[in-house]
Amino acid sequence: MAATPLQEDVTLLPETIARTLGLDAYGFAGQILAALIGAFIVGNVMLAMTGVAGPWAKRKITAAFTDRIAVNRVGPFGLLIIVADAVRLLSKELIVPENVDRPAWDLAPLVVAGSALLGFAVIPMGNGIHLADPEVGLAYVFATASLASVGLVMAGYASNNKYSLLGGLRAVAQNVAYEIPLVVTGVSVVIFAGSLRMGEIVAVQRETLVVLAGVPIPSWFAIVNPFAFVLFVVANLAEVGRNPFDTPEAPTEIVAGYQTEYSSVYFVLFYLGEFVHIFLGGAIIATLFLGGPAGPVLPGFVWFVIKIWAVFLFTQWARSAMPRVRIDQLMEIGWKGLLVLSFANLVLTAIIVGVIA
Amino acid sequence: MSADPDRTAGADAGATETLPVTEGVEADRLAELLGDLVRRRDEHLNADAAFEVHPDDVQETLFTLRDEAGFDHCSCVTAQEYDDRFESIYHLKKYDDPTQEVSVVVPTDKADPRSESAEPVYRTADWHEREAYDLVGIEYDDHPDLRRILLPETWQGHPLSKDYDQDRPQVVTLQEHANPLEEDHKDSESDTMFLNIGPHHPATHGVLHLKTTLDGEQVADVDPDIGYLHRCEEQMCQQGTYRHQIMPYPDRWDYISAGLLNEWAYARAAEDLADIEVPDYAQVIRTMSAELCRIASHMLAVGTFALDVYGDFTAIFMYAIREREKAQKVLEDLTGQRMMFNYFRLGGVVWDIPEPRDEFFERARDFLDGLPQATQEFHDLLTTNEIFQLRCVDTGILPPETAKSYGATGPVARGSGIDVDLRRDDPYGYYDELDWDVITQDGCDNYARVLVRLREVEESAKIIEQCLDLLEDWPEDDREIQANVPRTLKPDPDTETYRAVEAAKGELGIYIRSDGTDTPARFKIRSPCFSNLQTLSEMAEGEYIADLVAALGSLDIVLGEVDR
């Protein structure tokens, strides 16, 4: 059914930029420049969202869940706390503990923050904001997202701190355990969509599934296959390390896990990286299951942002209300529960799609 | 044996021989049971009997008392120095009936204070004897690990002994100090990893240092290192006068808003010592305010436990703090303070319920009315949560026999199915006139201990409700808040008593010996957290590090009380 590409007018962001700025004339160099400008824009939008989320929105959301008020002194709704916090965090002394494994220790925060940003390259954000749409889009997203585990292990090992080491080990064990169900569940969507191309996956979901009382219900995969959606959301919680799966950081057990020894800018990078990861998780969920930028009335990009913030809100909700599972229980849930369920989902999807098609 | 040459109390033996023997069949029966082990009968106000035994007969005596007379609770070990001897007192009780008390007094030689350790009999004696060695300087033979517990290893002298030189500088070079980082390296031979948890760590609830050996993520061995918050509370109380100067200190032991419960421990001991009768009206106020403290304290315990299991600041923690805050508001109205109340006085309380009384009652009732909904919220959000149960059921197991051997009391003991509560078993205040229940859970795990606390909050609310009714209807001309107590209290010399109350964490006992002056000659605090914390290694060894943290949280220790 998805044999013919449903995507029309696929103009990617770099192409638009190149055309607008007249960079077409410079050939390959112009293309690269346009791509860089596009990446710069997307990266900064994402970082700006993280900037809002980290120092401000997270506090406000958690406060709402826990009966508090949170920041309200600096600026309207305490919004200027973002500026104040940025200054505060960046002006802190960067403490480098003795005997840290230097290149690895310095690179880890960059890997964590960078890997998450890379993923956004293939995410269609609506209104033509889409950097690239390769054939292997979905595989690329999963690959870049899991690069973060390398960063976490580097941080954990290079810090020369036992809490960091425990955190790093937990992080890698957890990411391996939960990436498989995540990818396998993603594959079940691919079976429906018939393509790994992100633009294609979004386009497929634009079709109308049923019309209920005059309202057309789109065939978002969250509606078509809610089971896969739930599996994916749960695995994603583990992937971004939020309750009930925040064992790699587990503040009351292993202090702060892999980031125990990091301060100042390095800490900011970790902190940002985590939020970018949550947003990337949200973007993947939005693209795979929630129709990407699709939505009525509002422009596509706004819908896209709303969707990833909804996922962010969900992670914060889980964080405020759910206890943390123990590391062995986490492994058990991952390997014995989610993995089995995700394969069951894959096989079922394959059969259903095979029978229908 | 009575003609033993190294009898240390020889000097005043003639005088003390004539001391009146504590009456009661039970005491005589015990004396008969112990036979020749008893060298002398002493008198302690609290105990049915006080037997003096030879330093080499400690274990035999205690084994006999434990196995044949049923004294299964070694509640405290008090050590002190007289002019002519050292003395260790083992305060024994029964879990079934804490009013049956026996003191085993072990005098030791001044020059070489050595006596047999009670550790093989009661495992709780381990820490108690270490403390006695640390502060007073008595050495215990056969003790598995006799080293300092509250003071640094390098401390010079024993601060509560008579020849302690306060002016001696305690400067110790870095080399002499045991370096905690030294052990910080992995042994090339073994596959375990040594990990310092604390003294600064998010889950230690204060400055506690757990020397942990990890085998992977599992705890192979854990050794709590305490004393970081030692503030010489016993010493300070020994320098204060009975009437006024001691009462502010108890607030600072268990400082988590359980102040009034602590004050009551001192009040009870001192009133017993000086034979003060507390008017009923004051007893009702005491009972009500103490239970408010218990609610505040349990709320914090549940909240911080949730913090340990949930991580970060979660809804449950803030909800718990909110309820605690309400209890504290009522306490503030009553005492004028939020934490350091200093509200009890010997013979009563410092002032009556604030005027207008109706307003106070209304506010207190408002708090109680909201409480069932709040506890229901806890059950919805916490105890019925499947992940919470996954984490807490069957983790941190403390079997009842182990709990008893370690002298665990309070919610920790009741969570292990031990039906013990001094409010009921050894009634004081107004408790025996009121209608309430002792909560026990048979789970012996982290979950059971949390449930006990939550349900105890409901029982406390019942008690407060009844007290409020009583106070409202109390005839106006009969509101006596304090008994007539002399300005300077000088209890008779050589009177000794050990009295305990049910504090938020368990049996909080005070041993006082008077010497005829207006300050105690020995003031010993039996802290429930001190004994409860000892059970941690039993609960945590072999479990995951996350369970170690949960078990520690479920013990609900306050380092201010552990270290005193």
Side-chain angles (χ1 to χ4, degrees):
Chain A
M1 83 184 174
T4 49
L6 291 158
Q7 276 182 284
E8 320 98 42
D9 59 7
V10 269
T11 321
L12 298 172
L13 185 63
E15 293 170 24
T16 322
I17 292 171
R19 205 180 308 140
T20 322
L21 298 180
L23 289 169
D24 282 338
Y26 301 96
F28 187 61
Q31 276 177 24
I32 287 182
L33 188 58
L36 281 178
I37 295 172
F40 180 79
I41 293 170
V42 170
N44 272 300
V45 168
M46 286 307 135
L47 285 176
M49 273 180 23
T50 332
V52 175
W56 186 77
K58 175 192 160 184
R59 287 181 184 174
K60 284 290 191 189
I61 294 167
T62 314
F65 279 122
T66 58
D67 248 0
R68 291 181 291 121
I69 298 166
V71 282
N72 69 343
R73 296 281 129 179
V74 199
F77 308 108
L79 265 171
L80 287 182
I81 196 76
I82 298 168
V83 182
D85 263 1
V87 172
R88 174 175 66 87
L89 285 166
L90 295 179
S91 59
K92 296 245 170 180
E93 183 190 355
L94 178 64
I95 297 162
V96 183
E98 265 180 57
N99 300 329
V100 292
D101 197 356
R102 215 36 212 280
W105 192 74
D106 296 295
L107 282 175
L110 289 174
V111 172
V112 171
S115 67
L117 276 176
L118 284 177
F120 285 101
V122 296
I123 304 281
M125 304 185 192
N127 297 90
I129 306 176
H130 193 180
L131 282 177
D133 198 8
E135 286 283 353
V136 291
L138 191 61
Y140 169 84
V141 170
F142 285 133
T144 54
S146 52
L147 267 185
S149 324
V150 179
L152 301 185
V153 161
M154 280 161 75
Y157 182 76
S159 287
N160 190 29
N161 176 315
K162 288 165 183 172
Y163 290 111
S164 303
L165 180 67
L166 282 173
L169 291 176
R170 283 182 179 193
V172 77
Q174 172 167 338
N175 283 8
V176 168
Y178 282 81
E179 228 144 62
I180 301 173
L182 200 70
V183 172
V184 170
T185 315
V187 169
S188 77
V189 169
V190 175
I191 292 178
F192 270 116
S195 171
L196 283 169
R197 197 191 280 269
M198 297 299 248
E200 185 71 24
I201 292 172
V202 169
V204 171
Q205 297 181 62
R206 233 177 272 147
E207 286 178 17
T208 305
L209 188 68
V210 279
V211 179
L212 282 182
V215 183
I217 305 290
S219 60
W220 291 0
F221 289 122
I223 302 167
V224 176
N225 190 355
F227 184 59
F229 178 62
V230 172
L231 275 180
F232 198 89
V233 168
V234 172
N236 183 60
L237 269 185
E239 184 67 20
V240 299
R242 282 292 175 270
N243 269 4
F245 307 113
D246 82 330
T247 36
E249 278 176 60
T252 46
E253 291 163 27
I254 51 171
V255 188
Y258 48 82
Q259 53 180 335
T260 306
E261 291 288 2
Y262 284 94
S263 54
S264 186
V265 183
Y266 285 0
F267 171 74
V268 174
L269 280 174
F270 265 114
Y271 198 65
L272 276 183
E274 267 181 39
F275 279 93
V276 178
H277 254 280
I278 297 176
F279 283 132
L280 179 63
I284 300 173
I285 290 174
T287 310
L288 290 188
F289 292 98
L290 301 176
V297 189
L298 295 170
F301 184 69
V302 176
W303 272 111
F304 179 75
V305 170
I306 289 174
K307 281 168 191 170
I308 60 177
W309 273 87
V311 175
F312 176 71
L313 193 71
F314 176 75
T315 59
Q316 295 304 310
W317 184 9
R319 180 176 169 274
S320 299
M322 302 268 250
R324 175 197 310 130
V325 294
R326 213 168 49 206
I327 181 73
D328 62 315
Q329 295 166 343
L330 180 101
M331 290 296 122
E332 211 161 289
I333 296 168
W335 290 108
K336 293 185 186 165
L338 278 182
L339 188 69
V340 176
L341 287 176
S342 61
F343 272 112
N345 169 56
L346 181 71
V347 172
L348 271 178
T349 315
I351 292 170
I352 291 169
V353 171
V355 167
I356 291 173
Chain B
M1 192 172 285
S2 55
D4 205 314
D6 62 37
R7 165 157 190 156
T8 47
D12 60 355
T16 46
E17 213 89 296
T18 55
L19 260 179
V21 169
T22 321
E23 282 171 38
V25 186
E26 180 68 7
D28 291 336
R29 200 178 64 78
L30 290 174
E32 208 171 297
L33 183 69
L34 293 173
D36 285 346
L37 290 169
V38 180
R39 299 176 9 165
R40 201 170 67 87
R41 295 270 290 269
D42 203 345
E43 191 186 24
H44 287 181
L45 289 184
N46 64 304
D48 301 311
F51 301 118
E52 198 177 288
V53 301
H54 189 272
D56 293 337
D57 296 335
V58 175
Q59 284 178 14
E60 197 184 337
T61 310
L62 295 181
F63 268 127
T64 313
L65 284 172
R66 188 191 76 178
D67 298 335
E68 283 163 46
F71 286 93
D72 51 358
H73 179 27
C74 176
S75 97
C76 181
V77 181
T78 304
Q80 53 186 331
E81 186 180 8
Y82 286 85
D83 287 332
D84 59 340
R85 66 185 190 277
F86 282 93
E87 203 176 85
S88 315
I89 307 171
Y90 296 88
H91 302 279
L92 307 182
K93 286 186 179 186
K94 292 179 178 177
Y95 271 104
D96 291 337
D97 179 9
T99 53
Q100 293 191 31
E101 292 175 70
V102 132
S103 303
V104 175
V105 183
V106 189
T108 41
D109 187 34
K110 186 97 178 170
D112 181 28
R114 286 191 163 276
S115 70
E116 219 176 22
S117 166
E119 199 272 342
V121 195
Y122 304 103
R123 280 146 98 183
T124 184
D126 180 352
W127 279 23
H128 284 281
E129 285 175 351
R130 276 176 68 188
E131 186 188 315
Y133 162 72
D134 191 1
L135 299 182
V136 182
I138 302 175
E139 306 207 7
Y140 294 90
D141 294 329
D142 208 13
H143 190 283
D145 183 24
L146 193 66
R147 57 197 160 93
R148 289 186 183 273
I149 187 166
L150 294 176
L151 304 178
E153 298 267 309
T154 48
W155 197 264
Q156 308 291 309
H158 303 278
L160 291 183
S161 62
K162 286 196 181 293
D163 57 353
Y164 180 66
D165 179 9
Q166 283 190 19
D167 299 326
R168 178 175 182 176
Q170 293 284 348
V171 181
V172 174
T173 60
L174 204 58
Q175 279 86 1
E176 279 176 84
H177 255 304
N179 178 9
L181 292 177
E182 245 167 23
E183 291 173 89
D184 206 32
H185 293 285
K186 193 184 162 217
D187 188 351
S188 55
E189 306 264 306
S190 75
D191 282 340
T192 57
M193 177 169 89
F194 180 83
L195 182 71
N196 285 308
I197 299 183
H200 300 288
H201 184 281
T204 52
H205 296 227
V207 274
L208 169 68
H209 176 199
L210 299 175
K211 298 175 181 169
T212 318
T213 311
L214 292 182
D215 183 6
E217 279 261 1
Q218 273 156 322
V219 178
D221 182 52
V222 56
D223 176 22
D225 172 22
I226 62 171
Y228 290 89
L229 206 53
H230 180 56
R231 293 153 299 162
C232 324
E233 292 281 353
E234 289 175 6
Q235 165 86 10
M236 289 195 292
C237 290
Q238 277 166 217
Q239 286 167 345
T241 57
Y242 290 104
R243 185 74 173 89
H244 288 301
Q245 292 182 347
I246 296 178
M247 196 55 94
Y249 289 125
D251 288 324
R252 282 135 181 100
W253 303 339
D254 175 359
Y255 47 72
I256 311 286
S257 57
L260 291 176
L261 296 156
N262 307 348
E263 288 178 20
W264 208 339
Y266 168 62
R268 192 176 187 203
E271 282 156 8
D272 189 41
L273 195 71
D275 212 6
I276 300 166
E277 206 55 54
V278 183
D280 273 354
Y281 182 67
Q283 291 286 32
V284 178
I285 297 184
R286 278 184 176 188
T287 309
M288 176 198 66
S289 51
E291 290 309 307
L292 278 167
C293 278
R294 193 181 310 276
I295 291 182
S297 180
H298 279 356
M299 277 300 162
L300 195 80
V302 170
T304 50
F305 179 69
L307 208 59
D308 290 340
V309 177
Y310 282 59
D312 279 344
F313 278 79
T314 53
I316 198 79
F317 176 76
M318 291 310 296
Y319 287 7
I321 290 291
R322 185 188 61 197
E323 289 313 306
R324 172 174 176 269
E325 186 65 30
K326 288 182 191 162
Q328 274 189 313
K329 285 243 168 74
V330 180
L331 282 167
E332 191 182 350
D333 285 346
L334 180 66
T335 67
Q337 284 286 331
R338 285 169 52 82
M339 287 171 90
M340 304 296 144
F341 304 108
N342 192 17
Y343 178 65
F344 285 13
R345 291 290 177 274
L346 299 189
V349 294
V350 63
W351 51 57
D352 201 351
I353 285 165
E355 295 292 343
R357 291 166 67 94
D358 289 344
E359 224 167 84
F360 174 79
F361 291 130
E362 200 187 314
R363 245 177 280 179
R365 283 190 197 284
D366 278 351
F367 164 62
L368 293 180
D369 291 343
L371 205 58
Q373 200 200 337
T375 43
Q376 188 53 44
E377 245 171 20
F378 285 114
H379 286 300
D380 290 346
L381 196 56
L382 193 74
T383 53
T384 54
N385 185 312
E386 282 182 26
I387 302 175
F388 183 79
Q389 291 181 0
L390 200 64
R391 278 298 308 277
C392 298
V393 175
D394 282 339
T395 61
I397 301 283
L398 184 65
E401 285 317 309
T402 318
K404 284 182 181 175
S405 182
Y406 277 106
T409 49
V412 176
R414 291 193 284 274
S416 289
I418 304 171
D419 189 15
V420 61
D421 192 322
L422 292 177
R423 293 175 290 172
R424 179 199 61 195
D425 301 336
D426 182 12
Y428 57 97
Y430 217 72
Y431 288 112
D432 51 350
E433 310 279 321
L434 306 171
D435 174 34
W436 58 283
D437 294 313
V438 175
I439 304 293
T440 54
Q441 292 281 334
D442 294 329
C444 308
D445 51 14
N446 293 335
Y447 190 63
R449 288 186 279 276
V450 173
L451 274 189
V452 165
R453 293 203 178 90
L454 278 175
R455 292 180 56 201
E456 266 181 25
V457 166
E458 291 162 25
E459 293 301 318
S460 293
K462 265 204 238 168
I463 296 174
I464 299 170
E465 187 92 52
Q466 295 170 54
C467 289
L468 287 173
D469 289 341
L470 283 168
L471 290 171
E472 262 181 324
D473 300 338
W474 210 276
E476 201 169 342
D477 50 358
D478 192 25
R479 291 180 192 157
E480 198 188 343
I481 54 160
Q482 263 187 48
N484 202 2
V485 182
R487 177 173 292 187
T488 310
L489 268 185
K490 288 186 180 171
D492 300 331
D494 269 324
T495 329
E496 299 172 52
T497 192
Y498 169 81
R499 276 285 171 217
V501 298
E502 186 73 26
K505 274 79 176 167
E507 176 187 337
L508 177 60
I510 307 288
Y511 166 88
I512 303 180
R513 176 172 64 89
S514 63
D515 56 358
T517 65
D518 60 351
T519 59
R522 179 76 173 102
F523 190 99
K524 161 81 184 153
I525 308 158
R526 189 269 182 203
S527 133
C529 295
F530 184 78
S531 297
N532 290 352
L533 180 58
Q534 280 189 79
T535 63
L536 180 67
S537 36
E538 286 290 332
M539 287 156 64
E541 275 165 28
E543 304 241 18
Y544 282 88
I545 189 168
D547 291 336
L548 163 73
V549 167
L552 183 63
S554 78
L555 282 177
D556 185 25
I557 49 154
V558 172
L559 269 300
E561 195 179 67
V562 175
D563 296 343
R564 283 152 290 143

